[in-house]
Structure formats: C-alpha cells, structure tokens
C-alpha cells in the first residue's frame, strides 16, 4: 500500500520493501540453481563433445597415415618381388593380405603387379572415407563452438540479471534499517 503522509510525500510500508527484497533474492537464487547451473552443465557437455571429436579426429588421422604406410609397404614388396623376378613367399603374402583385409573388408585383396592399381584405388577409397569423417567432425566442432559461445553469452546475461536482482533485493532489505533511522529521528 502506498499512503500519502503529511506534505504529500509518498510512503511505502517498510515490510513491503523487505518482502520485495527477499522475493528478489529468492528469484536470484532460483535462477542460479535451476537455469544458470543447467545452462553451465549443457555448456560443459558441449566442450566435452568437442574434445571427444578432436580425439576422434586424431585417431582417424592416424588411421589415414596407417593406410598410407600399408600402401607404401605393399608397393615396396611388389616392386621388390618384380625386380627379383620371384613371387613373395607365401607366409609374407598371407600376412600382407591379412593386414590389408582389415582395411578392405568384403573385398578380394590381390597382391600382384597386374592388380596393384585396383588395390591402390581401394586404399584411396578408404583414405577418402576417413578424410570425409575428419571433415565432418571438424564441421561438427565448428557448430559446437558456435552453440557453446551462444550458451556462454546466455549464461553471462543470466548471471548478470541474477546479480542485479540480488543486489536490488539486498538494497530493499537494507531499506528496513534506513526506515528505522527515519522513525527514530521523528
């Protein structure tokens, strides 16, 4: 209730100011507890997903390099056997085929001069697929960075609002003490 006192001054009862101040502090606490903490948790999840993607990019890039080493090793073996005019020993051939079959499942792996171009093309396809995965993860990370930045902006705004409400609430609660001084001087 707003009442008019002597000399047409506006007077708001002290208990109203204190109640509004306490209400603003409660609202600030609830904002912090529910909205800000939840938004912070979501932002942390975005960072964790981003870090997970970065680790996956590193692992996939290592796979690309591994396929490249397998390719080079196979070319060296085929070139060596061709230069010597001899076929690769069966245990070595089987081991190389087994290694390449990991990267080329469900495909017939033939290691010979006549089929080397097909084999290299198959290995190229594996590397292209892996690079496409890396590119997609990189684009996902860019999107995660943008979402995280927006989330952090929102968190900052909510924290500022909660702090403002808390300070305003405390000022209104402190008005009770100022009101007591006014009554004491009358």
């Amino acid at each position: 209730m707003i009442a008019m006192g002597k000399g047409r001054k506006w007077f708001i009862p002290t208990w109203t100011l204190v109640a509004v101040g306490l209400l603003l502090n409660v609202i600030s606490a609830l904002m912090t507890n529910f909205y800000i903490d939840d938004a912070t948790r979501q932002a942390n999840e975005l960072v964790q997903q981003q870090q997970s993607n970065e680790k996956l990019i590193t692992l996939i890039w290592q796979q690309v390099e591994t396929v490249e080493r397998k390719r080079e090793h196979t070319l060296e073996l085929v070139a060596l056997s061709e230069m010597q005019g001899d076929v690769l020993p069966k245990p070595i051939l089987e081991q190389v085929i087994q290694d390449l079959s990991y990267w080329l499942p469900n495909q017939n792996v033939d290691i010979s001069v006549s089929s080397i171009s097909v084999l290299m093309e198959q290995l190229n396809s594996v590397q292209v697929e892996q690079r496409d995965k890396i590119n997609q993860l990189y684009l996902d990370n860019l999107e995660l960075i943008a979402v995280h930045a927006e989330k952090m902006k929102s968190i900052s705004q909510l924290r500022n609002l909660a702090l403002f409400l808390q300070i305003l609430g405390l000022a209104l609660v402190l008005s009770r003490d100022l009101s007591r001084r006014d009554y004491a001087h009358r």
Side-chain angles (χ1 to χ4, degrees):
M1 287 186 177
I2 299 177
M4 291 186 110
K6 295 179 186 177
R8 297 203 178 253
K9 288 185 180 178
W10 291 92
F11 173 72
I12 299 174
T14 304
W15 68 268
T16 305
L17 294 176
V18 171
V20 170
L22 289 173
L23 180 64
L24 290 176
N25 277 305
V26 168
I27 291 171
S28 172
L30 291 174
M31 279 180 63
T32 300
N33 192 38
F34 291 108
Y35 295 110
I36 296 173
D37 289 350
D38 186 51
T40 302
R41 181 191 52 77
Q42 291 172 3
N44 290 338
E45 287 175 359
L46 292 171
V47 169
Q48 288 175 348
Q49 181 62 45
Q50 189 180 349
Q51 291 171 346
S52 176
N53 285 352
E54 288 173 5
K55 288 178 185 175
L56 197 52
I57 286 171
T58 301
L59 289 174
I60 294 172
W61 188 251
Q62 288 173 354
Q63 290 177 347
V64 169
E65 291 174 344
T66 299
V67 170
E68 187 61 30
R69 285 193 301 275
K70 298 287 182 192
R71 171 201 314 276
E72 291 168 359
H73 180 67
T74 303
L75 286 173
E76 288 172 0
L77 286 174
V78 170
L80 184 63
S81 71
E82 189 64 24
M83 283 176 26
Q84 292 178 349
D86 198 8
V87 294
L88 289 173
K90 188 171 181 171
I92 293 175
L93 185 62
E94 288 174 354
Q95 183 62 48
V96 171
I97 289 173
Q98 182 181 352
D99 288 349
L100 292 174
S101 293
Y102 174 81
W103 298 103
L104 303 169
N106 305 323
Q107 293 183 23
N108 185 22
V109 177
D110 183 23
I111 300 179
S112 64
V113 174
S114 61
S115 65
I116 198 70
S117 63
V118 172
L119 180 62
M120 292 302 120
E121 202 166 300
Q122 291 170 334
L123 291 173
N124 279 340
S125 295
V126 170
Q127 287 182 312
V128 166
E129 286 176 25
Q130 300 297 64
R131 287 184 181 117
D132 287 345
K133 288 179 188 177
I134 290 171
N135 291 340
Q136 186 58 51
L137 287 168
Y138 179 76
L139 293 174
D140 291 348
N141 270 1
L142 290 179
E143 187 176 321
L144 287 172
I145 289 169
V147 171
H148 182 264
E150 192 63 35
K151 182 76 64 182
M152 293 308 291
K153 180 181 176 185
S154 174
I155 290 170
S156 177
Q157 291 170 343
L158 285 172
R159 280 190 178 142
N160 289 339
L161 178 61
L163 182 60
F164 173 75
L165 292 175
Q166 190 176 24
I167 290 171
L168 185 60
L170 289 174
L172 291 173
V173 169
L174 290 175
S175 70
R176 173 188 64 188
D177 294 335
L178 295 176
S179 177
R180 286 183 188 161
R181 285 188 202 155
D182 287 345
Y183 287 128
H185 291 308
R186 288 186 185 175

